[in-house]
Amino acid sequence: MFATCRRLGIGTAAVYTDPDAASPHVAEADVRVRLEGRNGYLDAAQLIAAATAAGADAVHPGYGFLSENAEFAAAVQDAGLTWIGPPVAAVRAMGSKIEAKKMMSAAGVPVLAELDPNTVTQAQLPVLIKASAGGGGRGMRVVRDLDALPGQVEAARREAQSAFGDPTVFCERYLATGHHVEVQVMADAHGTVWAVGERECSIQRRHQKIVEEAPSPLVERVPGMRDRLFEAARLAAKAIDYTGAGTVEFMADDAGEFFFLEMNTRLQVEHPVTEETTGLDLVALQVHVADGGRLDPEPPANRGHSIEVRLYAEDPAKNWQPQAGAVHRFDVPSARAEFTTLGGVGVRLDTGIVDGSEVSIFYDPMLAKVISYAPTRTQAAGVLADALVRTRLHGITTNRDLLVNVLRHPAFLDGETDTAFFETHGLADLAAPSTEADAPRLSAVAAALADAARNRAAATALRDVPGGWRKLASGYQTKRYVDAGGADHEVRYRFTRGRLVLPDDDGIGLVSSTPDRVVLSSHGVERSFAVTTYGDTAFVDSPLGSTKLVAQPRFGDPDAAAAHGSLLAPMPGSVIRIAAAVGDQVTAGQPLIWLEAMKMEHTITAPTGGVLVELNVEAGQQVDVGLVMARVLDPEESEEPQGESR
């Protein structure tokens, strides 16, 4: 929004809460206003007061939950401010998914029938529980077992209440292998309604999109589907007298039959792929329409292909656990544009972080959107995957490797992108590091040699001795690292007359080394490795990929290991529910503790069957990652299992 305003010559005012005080959007704004409390972004009164104090004359609601809150839209207008969004009546009409489906059905838009959670039968399974006021995957649950339905409905209601302030949920038939296809609409107050183009957003985790593209591979291969989609989207917009930018979302099957899901009465996170394939600035059009402007009779023609990936602070290999902490370095060297269209082949970056940013537990874990454009889909995928591999992202764990593996997967490149992508192709394989096979070993060697160069540079007595040269051969030095996947890498090396000797890797040679860059040759092929160290952790970046390595001490600390049967907090968060007490008998996999982090519920289960012998947390407590929250012990085991150091 701010980037567009700069291009339009419009001044900007930012609001922020304390966790976001150092956010780039705060620094970018002309003026900024602090909001009280971590939930200040949901406080309509504070936001309107901030706009008034800043001298603003219009409010853009962004992607947040208030962007689809009719009461907030009305309050903005009642305060004499321009609402850069659709009419209040349209927001209200689409604010309840239950009522929206009824309205769309009456307008002739295909819908999936709503199911009452209290009357779902075995024959109707599987079903999808959805929050009526929801979005972003909050409050959504897939249920395949009728006995599990009541508990899942209650969990969905809790999450919906926490996220939206409304616990209403409903069910609908779950299409396990469907395609999530949506149409970008733009309408003015003079009767023109554009169907700008469609996007496919089928690759999702927890019902939240992570890869989005335009045009849709499904729509491209099904004759006549685009015309039918666009007509349904225009019908939906006209049925509620819509103006501004919006998105009509559909679920489709492989044959191209589709059903209305919801209408988002706001700009979508994934709007850049539509901008790249049309050349439009959708935010500028929002401002234009809100100011009473007219659209041209027809939208511009679509061209080429664009793909966006959402870079999240999360660990896909650990059930998508959100991550919090410092971002030491974030650099996408391939990026040619930021918050604006590329105008040609390349990579665009829309980011909310910079070097030194701190990711908190209080908000959505999305860090950035990385977008590519190219004449063909294959080239767009290749350009984007290469940009992600070359990105320097140091500090927090992210889904970067998963995104690279998806973009390079044969099924993705063939356009086989339904909502069961991770189940079909194996999350474990897709979440594995995207580096080439020999990258971890070469990266470990580079880290060890960079460390040796750092030590030489710090040793004043050796400052004038070239490249580790000595008259007599040195003994082998040994360094051990553990990579992000838990694999050990031991590097044994020595220098003999200035030549590197690795007893286990005769094909590896040293070309040059400094504390932050090492050039290695491997069987005659030279590669450069950038090495950046933060304490005991080294990040090694090269064209082979990025490798995180944690240096290991020569002698382990026996007190560092958690006691047998411990339940560790997998992330920082707030305890919202505890389902057992000390002394209770529990079974392996039984849910014991529920955490809320980044507006999502996370269940902590018993690691083994036995007795709950420790419980160190209570409801409402904030916990840090790694805290021992509870401990389960098999009654037949002693408190001191054999071989466990205490």
Side-chain angles (χ1 to χ4, degrees):
M1 176 64 189
F2 286 178
T4 294
C5 285
R6 285 279 181 273
R7 292 190 289 272
L8 296 175
I10 299 173
T12 57
V15 291
Y16 69 94
T17 60
D18 287 343
D20 280 348
S23 177
H25 87 275
V26 178
E28 177 67 17
D30 296 315
V31 297
R32 54 205 67 93
V33 181
R34 177 179 174 273
L35 302 174
E36 294 287 346
R38 290 193 297 265
N39 291 323
Y41 294 127
L42 299 178
D43 189 330
Q46 276 204 77
L47 292 168
I48 292 170
T52 302
D57 55 13
V59 171
H60 189 291
Y63 308 133
F65 298 136
L66 282 183
S67 64
E68 296 183 278
N69 185 297
E71 284 64 39
F72 177 56
V76 168
Q77 293 178 341
D78 290 344
L81 300 166
T82 297
W83 171 250
I84 305 178
V88 172
V91 178
R92 186 169 286 121
M94 294 294 101
S96 165
K97 288 185 174 62
I98 294 173
E99 295 305 315
K101 287 165 74 78
K102 294 176 182 177
M103 188 176 296
M104 292 300 106
S105 180
V109 179
V111 301
L112 282 171
E114 174 202 341
L115 303 174
D116 184 340
N118 297 315
T119 62
V120 170
T121 66
Q122 184 72 37
Q124 292 171 322
L125 295 177
V127 297
L128 179 64
I129 305 170
K130 300 178 76 172
S132 181
R138 269 70 168 185
M140 295 180 73
R141 300 284 194 284
V142 176
V143 179
R144 295 180 170 86
D145 180 355
L146 201 58
D147 291 338
L149 184 60
Q152 291 297 318
V153 166
E154 186 56 36
R157 284 175 174 152
R158 284 196 307 271
E159 194 167 281
Q161 175 64 42
S162 174
F164 314 112
D166 181 351
T168 306
V169 300
F170 67 98
C171 294
E172 64 186 21
R173 181 162 60 93
Y174 177 57
L175 302 179
T177 57
H179 297 261
H180 190 125
V181 181
E182 61 191 32
V183 179
Q184 175 71 58
V185 296
M186 180 66 71
D188 64 22
H190 308 283
T192 300
V193 179
W194 284 356
V196 182
E198 89 281 347
R199 300 183 285 257
E200 184 157 339
C201 314
S202 300
I203 297 182
Q204 306 177 3
R205 59 97 171 102
R206 289 181 169 173
H207 310 292
Q208 193 170 39
K209 309 158 189 173
I210 59 173
V211 181
E212 300 117 334
E213 56 182 309
S216 157
L218 174 67
V219 176
E220 288 279 273
R221 63 177 176 259
V222 176
M225 184 178 178
R226 180 168 290 120
D227 290 340
R228 292 186 290 115
L229 263 179
F230 285 10
E231 178 60 21
R234 285 190 289 261
L235 280 175
K238 290 176 180 178
I240 56 173
D241 295 323
Y242 199 82
T243 62
T247 303
V248 188
E249 302 197 355
F250 300 93
M251 185 62 72
D253 62 21
D254 287 334
E257 293 302 310
F258 56 85
F259 306 92
F260 173 84
L261 285 177
E262 63 184 356
M263 183 173 184
N264 293 126
T265 54
R266 57 177 168 84
L267 197 65
Q268 293 282 87
V269 172
E270 59 271 22
H271 75 275
V273 297
T274 298
E275 293 186 332
E276 292 302 329
T277 52
T278 61
L280 295 171
D281 183 333
L282 293 176
V283 176
L285 283 175
Q286 284 186 295
V287 174
H288 176 67
V289 168
D291 198 33
R294 292 178 178 270
L295 298 173
D296 291 337
E298 297 292 334
N302 284 254
R303 57 183 178 54
H305 205 97
S306 181
I307 304 174
E308 170 184 297
V309 293
R310 301 190 191 189
L311 195 60
Y312 278 108
E314 65 184 13
D315 189 344
K318 296 181 178 177
N319 197 29
W320 312 101
Q321 286 178 5
Q323 306 290 305
V327 178
H328 302 307
R329 180 82 184 276
F330 181 55
D331 176 42
V332 185
S334 302
R336 292 201 299 106
E338 190 168 346
F339 295 109
T340 189
T341 51
L342 287 156
V345 176
V347 171
R348 162 180 169 176
L349 176 66
D350 289 9
T351 180
I353 60 167
V354 292
D355 292 359
S357 288
E358 191 76 23
V359 179
S360 79
I361 65 171
F362 303 111
Y363 306 122
D364 189 275
M366 187 171 71
L367 304 177
K369 302 180 294 183
V370 190
I371 307 107
S372 67
Y373 173 79
T376 68
R377 184 173 183 273
T378 300
Q379 186 180 2
V383 167
L384 186 52
D386 182 71
L388 290 170
V389 167
R390 296 176 185 275
T391 293
R392 293 191 181 187
L393 182 50
H394 301 165
I396 202 162
T397 299
T398 73
N399 64 338
R400 187 255 301 270
D401 287 331
L402 174 89
L403 297 173
V404 173
N405 290 335
V406 168
L407 291 167
R408 290 177 170 173
H409 197 280
F412 178 85
L413 295 174
D414 286 342
E416 299 171 7
T417 54
D418 61 38
T419 54
F421 192 88
F422 292 127
E423 290 81 359
T424 301
H425 302 292
L427 177 59
D429 291 336
L430 289 166
S434 61
T435 54
E436 295 186 21
D438 55 350
R441 175 62 183 168
L442 290 171
S443 296
V445 172
L449 298 180
D451 186 52
R454 190 177 304 108
N455 292 337
R456 288 198 305 273
T460 55
L462 297 177
R463 189 162 291 166
D464 297 326
V465 179
W469 186 91
R470 58 172 64 209
K471 186 174 182 180
L472 299 175
S474 67
Y476 282 108
Q477 301 293 314
T478 302
K479 290 186 171 65
R480 286 185 56 246
Y481 300 94
V482 172
D483 65 27
D488 282 294
H489 301 277
E490 182 179 272
V491 181
R492 296 181 66 230
Y493 69 93
R494 70 178 183 180
F495 290 99
T496 302
R497 299 184 181 277
R499 185 175 68 85
L500 173 69
V501 177
L502 297 166
D504 302 321
D505 292 286
D506 291 337
I508 299 177
L510 174 64
V511 178
S512 63
S513 65
T514 67
D516 56 11
R517 185 167 296 277
V518 173
V519 179
L520 297 176
S521 65
S522 176
H523 301 286
V525 178
E526 296 183 3
R527 293 184 178 89
S528 179
F529 297 82
V531 182
T532 311
T533 303
Y534 309 90
D536 292 333
T537 302
F539 290 86
V540 184
D541 298 292
S542 76
L544 294 176
S546 182
T547 303
K548 176 183 177 181
L549 299 165
V550 179
Q552 302 299 296
R554 291 183 63 189
F555 305 103
D557 180 0
D559 293 327
H564 180 70
S566 294
L567 280 75
L568 306 181
M571 68 205 80
S574 176
V575 178
I576 59 174
R577 185 183 171 202
I578 298 172
V582 172
D584 285 356
Q585 186 78 31
V586 300
T587 58
Q590 178 180 333
L592 299 180
I593 300 171
W594 283 259
L595 287 179
E596 183 180 68
M598 295 177 173
K599 300 298 182 183
M600 299 285 281
E601 252 189 42
H602 308 273
T603 306
I604 313 301
T605 61
T608 185
V611 176
L612 186 63
V613 296
E614 286 183 30
L615 183 61
N616 304 317
V617 295
E618 59 186 21
Q621 180 178 338
Q622 288 288 136
V623 298
D624 291 326
V625 63
L627 175 74
V628 178
M629 297 187 294
R631 187 178 175 214
V632 175
L633 196 64
D634 188 315
E636 297 182 1
E637 292 181 292
S638 70
E639 284 287 327
E640 303 290 342
Q642 186 175 359
E644 181 179 340
S645 299
R646 299 287 289 174

